[in-house]
Amino acid sequence: MNQSNPSKGADPTSIGQAMYRLIEDLYPICRSITGNGLRETLRSVQGQIPLELHEVPTGTKVFDWTVPKEWNIRDAYVKNSRGERVIDFQESNLHVVNYSVPVRGRVSLAELKEHLFTLPGHPDWVPYRTSYYKEDWGFCLSQRQLDSLNESEYEVVIDSSLESGHLTYGECYLPGELTDEILISCHCCHPSLCNDNLSGIALATFLAKHLAGLSLRYSYRFLFIPGTIGAITWLALNEEELHRIKHGLVLTGLGDAGKLHYKRSRRGNAVVDVAVAHVLKHSGRDFELMDFTPYGYDERQFCSPGINLAVGRLSRTPHGTFPEYHTSADNLDFVHPERLAEAFATCLEVLSVLENNATYLNTNPKCEPQLGKRGLYRRVGGPADAGVSEMALLWVLNLSDGAHSLLDIAERSGLRFDAVRKACEALREHGLLEQRGDESSPVAATAAGPAIKVGASRGRGPGAHRATGSTWKRDR
Ligand SMILES: [Zn+2]
């Protein structure tokens, strides 16, 4: 196996700034789980990466769900008796309950209040509310705005449409040496919210943009989907091909100032779970690992029992645990280019582990091979091979019995994956290691429990299933 280096040529600092600029561009758009705001967002992402847009008709059955009617909105407001807009969609799209049915009429303050939502605990913030699956309408406003409304008649207009149409999602496929895939998924259904939604979109976009220029072992599939219904739709339409997905990450909430949190896949000890934990442990920064729960983002669908993919979730402060969550305070001030940059670099490190993880056999397993005569052991007064740790050489030789991957060896030895990988390369150059056939071998049974076979891999080894039939061309 040749070295694969996803971090090659990456400049996280400038990419963090570019991610932030994309967030600024997308921030004003009124997105939802369907409609033109979602399309406009995906077309903007198309300006960065070769994203294929898919349109799934309203009424399509997707497992236990049905693709809903398409929602679009042009304007919405509440006017007082002087004709002034006291609540105005043009000021912020959060002012309208997402998926509100069209409304035109005059109401008393008491009637209006039945359709108003505020956050009394944060009187200057506007909440984000949706009503996707119940036909209703409403406005969101700050508590201060609500307190300023007088007893009077109000004109209410929501110029929206809820009609047969499509659910739109975007897919970017980057073919690698293998048809085995790494899935990266983000949701893109929230309107003007930066951390929840736009940070994941920006990170997925710039990861795809960066990886598109590299030659990699795995194929990569990036999904830009509306939350829940988009994941369910994609899984239902692609069920036959899910066996290709060997590892995956849901990316969300990665721009805030909190530490990184990784939520394990339902399997709990999938290779991606071990790889992310390994990278975070060696990052020197504070982090948190969480076990799978059936609550959260689209990992709920990817890890439902009948799907059960090795997909975990990378975020910072978990949703629902910060006050700005689902409010107007999740704005451009709440996300930071340097935090986005750090998340980008972390993802590349994880991908580097996944790309380079493999299982080898020690070709000289009876007692230690003599490293000194091969120049692999430090001589008196002279260094061994630059950058190769002797300890890593000994660990790799000892555990390369066909049952331990390089990631297993890194975890068992406490060494960084990169040190183990370098030792592996040096030993291979000297003929002391050979690769085991099975490229997709899972992490061996460790303290975490028995190994779980990763998917139903068709074919074995790099030559057995090369990527073909990609849905787009890399030079497009
Ligand atoms: Zn959300």
Side-chain angles (χ1 to χ4, degrees), residues 128 187 189-190 193 196-197 252 297 319 325-326 330:
Y128 161 56
H187 66 281
C189 51
H190 291 31
L193 296 168
D196 185 3
N197 178 138
T252 179
Y297 288 91
H319 62 97
Y325 173 72
H326 279 190
D330 181 359

Side-chain angles (χ1 to χ4, degrees), residues 55-106:
E55 299 278 356
V56 185
T58 298
T60 305
K61 293 279 173 206
V62 286
F63 297 129
D64 196 43
W65 296 59
T66 305
V67 172
K69 290 178 184 169
E70 181 177 324
W71 184 71
N72 283 293
I73 183 159
R74 290 156 290 277
D75 197 8
Y77 55 84
V78 174
K79 277 186 184 171
N80 63 16
S81 54
R82 291 194 297 275
E84 298 160 338
R85 288 190 178 212
V86 290
I87 309 174
D88 188 0
F89 172 79
Q90 303 300 338
E91 260 178 28
S92 164
N93 54 46
L94 294 178
H95 280 314
V96 171
V97 171
N98 205 280
Y99 251 67
S100 282
V101 295
V103 172
R104 222 169 256 278
R106 292 186 166 276

Side-chain angles (χ1 to χ4, degrees), residues 81-404:
S81 54
R82 291 194 297 275
E84 298 160 338
R85 288 190 178 212
V86 290
I87 309 174
D88 188 0
F89 172 79
Q90 303 300 338
E91 260 178 28
S92 164
N93 54 46
L94 294 178
H95 280 314
V96 171
V97 171
N98 205 280
Y99 251 67
S100 282
V101 295
V103 172
R104 222 169 256 278
R106 292 186 166 276
V107 294
S108 67
L109 180 61
E111 284 173 273
L112 180 62
K113 276 184 173 173
E114 287 173 27
H115 295 272
L116 298 184
F117 301 92
T118 63
L119 291 166
H122 293 281
D124 291 315
W125 297 357
V126 177
Y128 161 56
R129 291 289 177 97
T130 66
S131 188
Y132 300 140
Y133 301 105
K134 177 173 172 271
E135 293 202 358
D136 203 350
W137 63 271
F139 286 88
C140 300
L141 68 167
S142 72
Q143 184 63 39
R144 280 192 216 289
Q145 272 178 296
L146 177 61
D147 294 344
S148 72
L149 298 182
N150 306 317
E151 282 299 342
S152 157
E153 196 179 57
Y154 289 89
E155 182 192 352
V156 173
V157 169
I158 298 181
D159 181 11
S160 65
S161 58
L162 187 60
E163 296 163 349
S164 267
H166 294 83
L167 175 148
T168 315
Y169 69 84
E171 199 168 12
C172 170
Y173 178 75
L174 305 178
E177 188 190 339
L178 308 176
T179 54
D180 288 350
E181 292 182 12
I182 295 179
L183 181 78
I184 306 283
S185 177
C186 64
H187 66 281
C188 44
C189 51
H190 291 31
S192 292
L193 296 168
C194 285
N195 202 38
D196 185 3
N197 178 138
L198 292 180
S199 69
I201 296 173
L203 180 52
T205 300
F206 280 87
L207 278 175
K209 188 173 183 171
H210 176 72
L211 296 180
L214 302 177
S215 147
L216 297 168
R217 185 161 73 108
Y218 281 104
S219 295
Y220 286 78
R221 190 173 299 275
F222 289 82
L223 298 183
F224 296 78
I225 50 180
T228 307
I229 187 66
I232 293 169
T233 300
W234 186 82
L235 286 164
L237 298 180
N238 293 280
E239 197 180 357
E240 296 305 310
E241 301 302 326
L242 298 183
H243 62 89
R244 295 175 185 230
I245 297 167
K246 303 303 174 194
H247 320 282
L249 285 175
V250 168
L251 300 179
T252 179
L254 288 149
D256 67 272
K259 60 188 172 185
L260 286 168
H261 282 65
Y262 177 70
K263 176 179 168 182
R264 295 184 184 93
S265 73
R266 181 176 182 273
R267 300 177 185 194
N269 65 343
V271 180
V272 66
D273 299 326
V274 182
V276 179
H278 180 85
V279 167
L280 292 177
K281 262 189 289 186
H282 288 273
S283 69
R285 294 184 293 267
D286 204 9
F287 66 94
E288 197 150 324
L289 300 175
M290 302 182 293
D291 278 328
F292 178 77
T293 54
Y295 180 69
Y297 288 91
D298 286 329
E299 69 277 8
R300 292 159 66 163
Q301 316 310 331
F302 297 122
C303 296
S304 55
I307 303 290
N308 205 24
L309 292 172
V311 174
R313 187 188 81 202
L314 190 66
S315 64
R316 289 190 179 277
T317 314
H319 62 97
T321 65
F322 54 96
E324 296 85 354
Y325 173 72
H326 279 190
T327 78
S328 56
D330 181 359
N331 59 22
L332 290 164
D333 296 330
F334 191 63
V335 294
H336 311 280
E338 60 276 18
R339 294 295 171 154
L340 296 164
E342 188 192 281
F344 176 83
T346 301
C347 285
L348 288 188
E349 274 190 68
V350 169
L351 297 179
S352 179
V353 171
L354 296 174
E355 283 278 327
N356 292 289
N357 190 35
T359 304
Y360 293 87
L361 275 175
N362 178 342
T363 59
N364 190 94
K366 293 179 181 171
C367 299
E368 290 177 358
Q370 196 180 349
L371 297 178
K373 73 181 181 189
R374 295 174 171 91
L376 287 168
Y377 216 72
R378 187 178 51 230
R379 286 161 298 188
V380 178
D385 280 16
V388 178
S389 133
E390 284 166 21
M391 197 55 81
L393 291 170
L394 296 177
W395 274 108
V396 172
L397 282 169
N398 191 281
L399 288 179
S400 288
D401 53 5
H404 296 86

